[in-house]
Amino acid sequence: MLEHGGNIDLALQQFGGRLEDWIDLSTGINRQPYPVPPLSPRHWTALPSCSETKSLQEAARQAYGTRAPIVALAGAQAAIQLLPRLWAPGQARILAPSYNEYASVLVAAGWDVADVADLKSLAGADLAVVVNPNNPDGRRHEPDKLLALSSCVGRLVVDESFVDATPRLSLAPEAGRFGLLILRSFGKFYGLAGVRLGFALGSEADIDVLATQAGPWPVSGAAIAIGRRALLDRDWAIKTSARLDRDSRRLDALIQSQGWTLVGGTPLFRLYDTGDARAAQARLATARIWSRTFSERPGWLRLGLPGDEKEWTRLAAALAR
Amino acid sequence: MLEHGGNIDLALQQFGGRLEDWIDLSTGINRQPYPVPPLSPRHWTALPSCSETKSLQEAARQAYGTRAPIVALAGAQAAIQLLPRLWAPGQARILAPSYNEYASVLVAAGWDVADVADLKSLAGADLAVVVNPNNPDGRRHEPDKLLALSSCVGRLVVDESFVDATPRLSLAPEAGRFGLLILRSFGKFYGLAGVRLGFALGSEADIDVLATQAGPWPVSGAAIAIGRRALLDRDWAIKTSARLDRDSRRLDALIQSQGWTLVGGTPLFRLYDTGDARAAQARLATARIWSRTFSERPGWLRLGLPGDEKEWTRLAAALAR
């Protein structure tokens, strides 16, 4: 498996402690999750019906502000896995640095993959991949810029896994047009990554291929019930966006004492240049707080937001040592 | 989507009623499910860790009596979807009639697919597919026969989705050898199809490809927790196998009054030749009992087993009309 956040096994191996001792800030998963509603026995026992799956997809359309063709999958990752099924290999360019699974999956499927440093260098690619806002550095792109780009590339994949807290950045309302595929993650903003739920929005032809390739029943009954409820809860989304925005600034303020530089971030995580991320990670790990380093960028440390006051207090104490 | 059991939407459309009015006997899913244990918040919120996934896979190995390489996937169906990723297209033969997704997935991936009527006609195929015991007719094959076959074909896929109640038929103890791939379903025997969990067992090379193609986190936290608990519960499996065996004979006895012929079955479902399955389905449907017909075999009706005495009583009454 590639290097990822959420690799709590590694924290236990390297620094000890029990799973329940650790605060995992190595991901961008919201630590104040959407409350899991009571599930009916049917969600566990029965194969999800077409109408249940459709009602989940309709809830996602409402939440994302789109009427585009959509398919529910077991996480945005499941959509990434299927990208090579959509189009014959060619030249792909990825706006880098970014989520490392794209290059891995495309190279394995025979694509010629190049990293590029800015939007305009994507033009001309058979396939362009942009994560917006970007993981890990939070770089963001205005929807009109991406829309303009989409007419200069064969296909444009926009990964909006971290867009929920800044919905005005989303291209979802424009989904459906040829050549544009948008991926959404459910688990991050709603804090329920273990549920395994995500969506792809795109042209009818592309979504048909993804649905066929995923096969019947790609998403669990629990994911349908929880996802539907959560996606229709606009109040929770608005309050959560505001809280994440406040808390991300609170984290930046807390970090100032360290002399680290903010590289960027989203309301779900922050990326700091610490000079020596391994040392910073080890220091936090002695307080059983897990963070994300990047082997190719030795200064970078990514931190998710603490979930409650107890976690904030523990983080502040760990940073004050 | 292809014709499948569990299509309860169709029952509601054609015959009315509310979802909760219906007894769905259109599948082979056990209607006395394994009790879902309490789940910890972590199962919902966190990305499943490698060690959690490994512990699930180890539980499956114990339950299936094998030390072979194994991968957990979102249902046996997820493994079927990935078959074309394992091997370049060639000539596939399927022991028919059987589960219709094999032909569909393989044809779409460029395989030349033929149905054959007996085991020996599979010999010489690049890829042979046997469901054991078979769905829908319950035909079963001794493990030594299948093992002998495996040396006469390029690859042999044995789908053991319905084998749990008759474990001596399983080839899982022989898994690991080149050219043999075994698929297992969790949801049917454990009555938890909505969880979306299954396994593939095979050679290290094949399982590595399946794991890579499935990507990180293909299975939910809930599936890991529930699956692990259930698969390690040998007492429940033994009692359930005995109960299903009794109940399948009870269903055959009850059906005698109808003048239908038993075509075959497993402890999880029975297949009857009714003469006119559409009429039989409609008669049961007026009592809100849903069954499975097969458009290519107009006499065949497949029935799962009722779950409790109330369901048995309703079925008996419907049949007595």
Side-chain angles (χ1 to χ4, degrees), chain B residues 35-93:
Chain B
V36 173
L39 297 172
S40 82
R42 175 175 165 81
H43 295 126
W44 298 115
T45 58
L47 288 168
S49 71
C50 289
S51 59
E52 287 162 333
T53 303
K54 276 183 191 155
S55 80
L56 168 67
Q57 292 174 171
E58 195 46 48
R61 278 206 192 95
Q62 281 192 40
Y64 302 153
T66 183
R67 303 297 316 148
I70 189 168
V71 60
L73 298 164
Q77 181 65 43
I80 296 172
Q81 299 295 138
L82 292 178
L83 290 183
R85 307 280 81 74
L86 277 171
W87 313 301
Q91 197 208 46
R93 294 188 201 146

Coordinates of all heavy atoms in Angstrom, one line a residue, chain B residues 35-93:
Chain B
P35 N -26.5 -12.4 14.7 CA -26.8 -11.1 15.4 C -25.7 -10.1 15.3 O -24.5 -10.4 15.6 CB -27.0 -11.6 16.9 CG -26.6 -13.0 16.9 CD -26.3 -13.6 15.6
V36 N -26.0 -8.9 14.8 CA -25.0 -7.9 14.6 C -24.5 -7.4 16.0 O -25.3 -7.0 16.8 CB -25.6 -6.7 13.8 CG1 -24.6 -5.5 13.8 CG2 -25.9 -7.2 12.4
P37 N -23.2 -7.5 16.3 CA -22.7 -7.1 17.6 C -22.7 -5.6 17.7 O -22.8 -4.9 16.6 CB -21.3 -7.7 17.6 CG -20.9 -7.7 16.1 CD -22.2 -8.0 15.4
P38 N -22.6 -5.1 18.9 CA -22.5 -3.6 19.0 C -21.2 -3.2 18.3 O -20.2 -3.9 18.4 CB -22.4 -3.4 20.5 CG -22.8 -4.7 21.2 CD -22.5 -5.8 20.2
L39 N -21.3 -2.1 17.6 CA -20.1 -1.6 16.9 C -19.5 -0.4 17.7 O -20.3 0.4 18.3 CB -20.5 -1.1 15.5 CG -21.0 -2.3 14.6 CD1 -21.6 -1.7 13.3 CD2 -19.9 -3.3 14.3
S40 N -18.2 -0.3 17.7 CA -17.6 0.9 18.3 C -17.6 2.0 17.3 O -17.6 1.8 16.1 CB -16.2 0.5 18.8 OG -15.3 0.7 17.7
P41 N -17.5 3.3 17.9 CA -17.5 4.5 17.0 C -16.4 4.3 15.9 O -16.6 4.7 14.8 CB -17.3 5.6 17.9 CG -17.8 5.2 19.2 CD -17.6 3.7 19.3
R42 N -15.2 3.8 16.3 CA -14.1 3.7 15.4 C -14.5 3.0 14.1 O -13.9 3.3 13.0 CB -12.9 3.0 16.1 CG -11.8 2.7 15.2 CD -10.5 2.1 15.8 NE -9.7 1.6 14.7 CZ -8.9 2.4 14.0 NH1 -8.8 3.7 14.3 NH2 -8.2 1.9 13.0
H43 N -15.3 1.9 14.2 CA -15.7 1.2 13.0 C -16.4 2.1 12.0 O -16.3 1.8 10.8 CB -16.6 0.0 13.3 CG -15.9 -1.0 14.2 ND1 -16.4 -1.5 15.4 CD2 -14.7 -1.6 14.0 CE1 -15.5 -2.4 15.9 NE2 -14.5 -2.5 15.1
W44 N -17.1 3.1 12.4 CA -17.7 4.0 11.5 C -16.8 5.2 11.1 O -16.8 5.6 9.9 CB -18.9 4.7 12.2 CG -20.0 3.8 12.6 CD1 -20.4 3.5 13.9 CD2 -20.9 3.0 11.7 NE1 -21.5 2.6 13.8 CE2 -21.7 2.3 12.5 CE3 -20.9 2.8 10.3 CZ2 -22.7 1.4 12.0 CZ3 -21.9 1.9 9.8 CH2 -22.7 1.2 10.7
T45 N -16.0 5.6 12.0 CA -15.3 6.9 11.7 C -13.9 6.7 11.0 O -13.5 7.6 10.2 CB -15.0 7.7 13.1 OG1 -14.3 6.9 14.0 CG2 -16.4 8.1 13.7
A46 N -13.2 5.7 11.4 CA -11.8 5.6 10.9 C -11.7 4.7 9.6 O -12.5 3.8 9.4 CB -11.0 5.0 12.0
L47 N -10.7 5.0 8.8 CA -10.3 4.1 7.8 C -9.9 2.8 8.4 O -9.1 2.8 9.3 CB -9.2 4.7 7.0 CG -9.5 5.9 6.1 CD1 -8.2 6.6 5.6 CD2 -10.4 5.5 4.9
P48 N -10.4 1.7 7.9 CA -9.9 0.4 8.4 C -8.4 0.3 8.3 O -7.8 0.7 7.3 CB -10.6 -0.6 7.5 CG -11.8 0.1 7.0 CD -11.4 1.5 6.8
S49 N -7.8 -0.1 9.4 CA -6.3 -0.3 9.4 C -5.9 -1.6 8.8 O -6.7 -2.5 8.7 CB -5.8 -0.2 10.8 OG -6.1 -1.3 11.5
C50 N -4.6 -1.7 8.4 CA -4.1 -3.0 7.8 C -4.3 -4.1 8.8 O -4.7 -5.2 8.5 CB -2.6 -2.8 7.5 SG -2.3 -1.8 6.1
S51 N -4.1 -3.8 10.1 CA -4.1 -4.9 11.1 C -5.6 -5.4 11.3 O -5.9 -6.6 11.5 CB -3.5 -4.5 12.4 OG -4.2 -3.4 12.9
E52 N -6.5 -4.4 11.2 CA -8.0 -4.8 11.3 C -8.4 -5.7 10.1 O -9.0 -6.7 10.2 CB -8.8 -3.6 11.4 CG -8.8 -2.9 12.8 CD -9.3 -1.5 12.8 OE1 -9.2 -0.8 11.7 OE2 -9.7 -1.0 13.9
T53 N -7.9 -5.3 8.9 CA -8.2 -6.1 7.7 C -7.6 -7.4 7.8 O -8.2 -8.4 7.4 CB -7.8 -5.3 6.4 OG1 -8.4 -4.0 6.4 CG2 -8.1 -6.0 5.2
K54 N -6.4 -7.5 8.2 CA -5.7 -8.8 8.4 C -6.4 -9.7 9.4 O -6.5 -10.9 9.2 CB -4.2 -8.6 8.8 CG -3.3 -8.3 7.6 CD -1.9 -8.1 8.1 CE -1.0 -7.5 6.9 NZ 0.2 -6.9 7.4
S55 N -6.9 -9.1 10.4 CA -7.6 -10.0 11.4 C -8.9 -10.5 10.9 O -9.2 -11.7 11.2 CB -7.8 -9.2 12.8 OG -8.9 -8.4 12.7
L56 N -9.6 -9.7 10.0 CA -10.7 -10.3 9.4 C -10.3 -11.4 8.4 O -11.0 -12.5 8.4 CB -11.4 -9.2 8.6 CG -12.5 -9.6 7.6 CD1 -13.7 -10.2 8.3 CD2 -12.9 -8.5 6.6
Q57 N -9.3 -11.2 7.7 CA -8.9 -12.3 6.7 C -8.4 -13.5 7.5 O -8.6 -14.6 7.0 CB -7.8 -11.7 5.8 CG -8.4 -10.6 4.9 CD -7.5 -9.8 4.0 OE1 -7.9 -9.1 3.1 NE2 -6.2 -10.0 4.2
E58 N -7.8 -13.3 8.6 CA -7.4 -14.5 9.4 C -8.6 -15.3 9.9 O -8.6 -16.5 9.9 CB -6.5 -14.0 10.6 CG -5.7 -15.1 11.2 CD -5.0 -16.1 10.2 OE1 -4.4 -15.6 9.3 OE2 -5.2 -17.3 10.4
A59 N -9.6 -14.5 10.3 CA -10.9 -15.2 10.8 C -11.5 -16.0 9.6 O -12.0 -17.1 9.8 CB -11.8 -14.1 11.3
A60 N -11.5 -15.4 8.5 CA -12.0 -16.1 7.3 C -11.2 -17.4 7.0 O -11.8 -18.4 6.7 CB -12.0 -15.2 6.1
R61 N -9.9 -17.3 7.1 CA -9.1 -18.5 6.9 C -9.4 -19.6 7.9 O -9.5 -20.7 7.5 CB -7.6 -18.1 7.1 CG -6.9 -17.5 5.9 CD -5.4 -17.8 5.9 NE -4.7 -17.0 5.0 CZ -4.1 -15.8 5.2 NH1 -4.2 -15.3 6.5 NH2 -3.5 -15.2 4.3
Q62 N -9.6 -19.2 9.1 CA -10.0 -20.2 10.1 C -11.4 -20.8 9.8 O -11.5 -22.0 9.8 CB -10.1 -19.6 11.5 CG -8.7 -19.4 12.2 CD -8.8 -19.1 13.6 OE1 -9.7 -19.6 14.3 NE2 -8.0 -18.1 14.1
A63 N -12.3 -20.0 9.5 CA -13.7 -20.5 9.2 C -13.7 -21.4 7.9 O -14.4 -22.4 7.9 CB -14.6 -19.3 8.9
Y64 N -12.8 -21.0 7.0 CA -12.8 -21.8 5.7 C -11.8 -22.9 5.7 O -11.7 -23.6 4.7 CB -12.6 -20.8 4.5 CG -13.6 -19.7 4.4 CD1 -13.3 -18.5 3.8 CD2 -14.9 -19.8 4.9 CE1 -14.2 -17.4 3.7 CE2 -15.8 -18.8 4.8 CZ -15.5 -17.6 4.2 OH -16.4 -16.6 4.1
G65 N -11.0 -23.0 6.8 CA -10.1 -24.2 6.9 C -9.0 -24.1 5.9 O -8.7 -25.1 5.2
T66 N -8.4 -22.9 5.8 CA -7.3 -22.8 4.7 C -6.2 -21.9 5.3 O -6.4 -21.1 6.2 CB -7.9 -22.2 3.4 OG1 -6.9 -22.1 2.5 CG2 -8.5 -20.8 3.7
R67 N -5.0 -22.0 4.7 CA -3.9 -21.1 5.0 C -3.6 -20.3 3.7 O -2.5 -19.6 3.7 CB -2.6 -21.9 5.4 CG -2.8 -22.8 6.6 CD -3.1 -22.0 7.9 NE -2.4 -20.8 8.1 CZ -2.8 -19.7 8.7 NH1 -4.1 -19.7 9.2 NH2 -2.1 -18.7 8.9
A68 N -4.4 -20.4 2.7 CA -4.1 -19.8 1.4 C -4.1 -18.3 1.5 O -4.8 -17.7 2.3 CB -5.1 -20.3 0.4
P69 N -3.5 -17.6 0.6 CA -3.6 -16.2 0.4 C -5.1 -15.8 0.2 O -5.8 -16.5 -0.5 CB -2.8 -15.9 -0.9 CG -1.7 -16.9 -0.9 CD -2.4 -18.2 -0.4
I70 N -5.5 -14.7 0.8 CA -6.9 -14.3 0.8 C -7.0 -12.8 0.7 O -6.1 -12.1 1.2 CB -7.6 -14.9 2.1 CG1 -9.1 -14.8 2.1 CG2 -7.0 -14.2 3.3 CD1 -9.8 -15.6 3.2
V71 N -8.1 -12.4 0.2 CA -8.4 -10.9 0.2 C -9.9 -10.7 0.5 O -10.7 -11.5 -0.1 CB -8.0 -10.2 -1.1 CG1 -8.7 -10.8 -2.4 CG2 -8.2 -8.7 -1.1
A72 N -10.2 -9.8 1.3 CA -11.6 -9.4 1.7 C -12.0 -8.4 0.7 O -11.3 -7.4 0.4 CB -11.7 -8.9 3.1
L73 N -13.2 -8.6 0.1 CA -13.8 -7.7 -0.8 C -15.3 -7.4 -0.5 O -15.8 -8.0 0.4 CB -13.8 -8.3 -2.2 CG -12.3 -8.6 -2.8 CD1 -12.4 -9.6 -3.9 CD2 -11.6 -7.3 -3.1
A74 N -15.8 -6.4 -1.1 CA -17.2 -6.0 -0.8 C -18.2 -6.9 -1.4 O -19.1 -6.5 -2.3 CB -17.4 -4.5 -1.3
G75 N -18.2 -8.2 -1.0 CA -19.1 -9.2 -1.5 C -18.4 -10.1 -2.6 O -17.4 -9.7 -3.2
A76 N -18.9 -11.3 -2.7 CA -18.3 -12.2 -3.8 C -18.5 -11.5 -5.2 O -17.7 -11.7 -6.1 CB -19.0 -13.5 -3.8
Q77 N -19.6 -10.7 -5.3 CA -19.8 -10.0 -6.5 C -18.6 -9.1 -6.9 O -18.3 -9.0 -8.1 CB -21.1 -9.2 -6.4 CG -21.4 -8.4 -7.7 CD -21.8 -9.3 -8.8 OE1 -22.5 -10.3 -8.7 NE2 -21.3 -8.9 -10.0
A78 N -18.0 -8.5 -5.9 CA -16.9 -7.6 -6.1 C -15.7 -8.4 -6.7 O -15.0 -7.9 -7.6 CB -16.4 -6.9 -4.9
A79 N -15.6 -9.6 -6.3 CA -14.5 -10.5 -6.9 C -14.8 -10.8 -8.3 O -14.0 -10.8 -9.2 CB -14.4 -11.7 -6.1
I80 N -16.1 -11.1 -8.6 CA -16.5 -11.4 -10.0 C -16.2 -10.2 -10.9 O -15.7 -10.4 -12.0 CB -18.0 -11.8 -10.1 CG1 -18.3 -13.1 -9.3 CG2 -18.5 -11.9 -11.5 CD1 -19.7 -13.4 -9.1
Q81 N -16.5 -9.0 -10.4 CA -16.2 -7.8 -11.2 C -14.7 -7.7 -11.6 O -14.4 -7.1 -12.6 CB -16.6 -6.5 -10.4 CG -18.1 -6.4 -10.1 CD -19.0 -6.3 -11.3 OE1 -20.1 -6.9 -11.3 NE2 -18.6 -5.5 -12.3
L82 N -13.9 -8.2 -10.7 CA -12.4 -8.1 -10.9 C -11.8 -9.2 -11.7 O -10.6 -9.1 -12.1 CB -11.7 -7.9 -9.6 CG -12.0 -6.6 -8.8 CD1 -11.3 -6.7 -7.5 CD2 -11.6 -5.4 -9.6
L83 N -12.6 -10.2 -12.1 CA -12.0 -11.4 -12.8 C -11.3 -10.9 -14.1 O -10.2 -11.4 -14.4 CB -13.0 -12.4 -13.1 CG -13.6 -13.2 -11.9 CD1 -14.6 -14.3 -12.4 CD2 -12.5 -13.9 -11.1
P84 N -11.9 -10.0 -14.9 CA -11.2 -9.6 -16.1 C -9.8 -8.9 -15.8 O -9.0 -8.8 -16.8 CB -12.2 -8.7 -16.8 CG -13.5 -9.0 -16.2 CD -13.2 -9.4 -14.8
R85 N -9.6 -8.5 -14.6 CA -8.3 -7.8 -14.3 C -7.2 -8.9 -14.1 O -6.0 -8.6 -14.1 CB -8.4 -7.0 -13.1 CG -9.5 -5.9 -13.1 CD -9.2 -4.7 -13.9 NE -9.4 -4.9 -15.3 CZ -10.5 -4.9 -16.0 NH1 -11.7 -4.8 -15.3 NH2 -10.6 -5.1 -17.3
L86 N -7.6 -10.1 -13.9 CA -6.6 -11.2 -13.5 C -5.9 -11.8 -14.7 O -4.7 -12.1 -14.7 CB -7.3 -12.3 -12.8 CG -7.6 -12.1 -11.3 CD1 -8.5 -13.2 -10.7 CD2 -6.2 -12.1 -10.5
W87 N -6.7 -12.0 -15.8 CA -6.1 -12.8 -16.9 C -6.6 -12.1 -18.2 O -7.7 -11.6 -18.3 CB -6.6 -14.2 -16.8 CG -6.5 -14.8 -15.4 CD1 -5.4 -15.0 -14.7 CD2 -7.6 -15.3 -14.6 NE1 -5.6 -15.5 -13.5 CE2 -7.0 -15.8 -13.4 CE3 -9.0 -15.4 -14.8 CZ2 -7.7 -16.3 -12.4 CZ3 -9.7 -16.0 -13.8 CH2 -9.1 -16.4 -12.6
A88 N -5.7 -12.3 -19.2 CA -6.0 -11.8 -20.5 C -7.2 -12.6 -21.1 O -7.3 -13.8 -20.8 CB -4.8 -11.8 -21.5
P89 N -8.1 -12.0 -21.9 CA -9.2 -12.7 -22.4 C -8.8 -14.0 -23.2 O -7.8 -14.0 -23.8 CB -9.9 -11.7 -23.4 CG -9.5 -10.4 -22.9 CD -8.1 -10.6 -22.3
G90 N -9.7 -15.0 -23.2 CA -9.5 -16.2 -23.9 C -10.8 -16.9 -24.0 O -11.9 -16.2 -24.1
Q91 N -10.8 -18.2 -24.0 CA -12.0 -18.9 -24.0 C -12.5 -19.4 -22.6 O -11.8 -20.1 -22.0 CB -11.9 -20.2 -24.9 CG -13.2 -20.7 -25.4 CD -13.2 -22.2 -25.6 OE1 -12.6 -23.0 -24.9 NE2 -13.8 -22.6 -26.7
A92 N -13.6 -18.9 -22.2 CA -14.2 -19.3 -20.9 C -15.4 -20.2 -21.1 O -16.1 -20.1 -22.0 CB -14.6 -18.0 -20.1
R93 N -15.5 -21.2 -20.2 CA -16.6 -22.1 -20.2 C -17.3 -22.0 -18.8 O -16.5 -22.1 -17.8 CB -16.3 -23.5 -20.6 CG -15.8 -23.6 -22.0 CD -15.6 -25.0 -22.5 NE -14.7 -25.0 -23.6 CZ -13.9 -26.0 -23.9 NH1 -13.8 -27.1 -23.1 NH2 -13.1 -25.9 -25.0

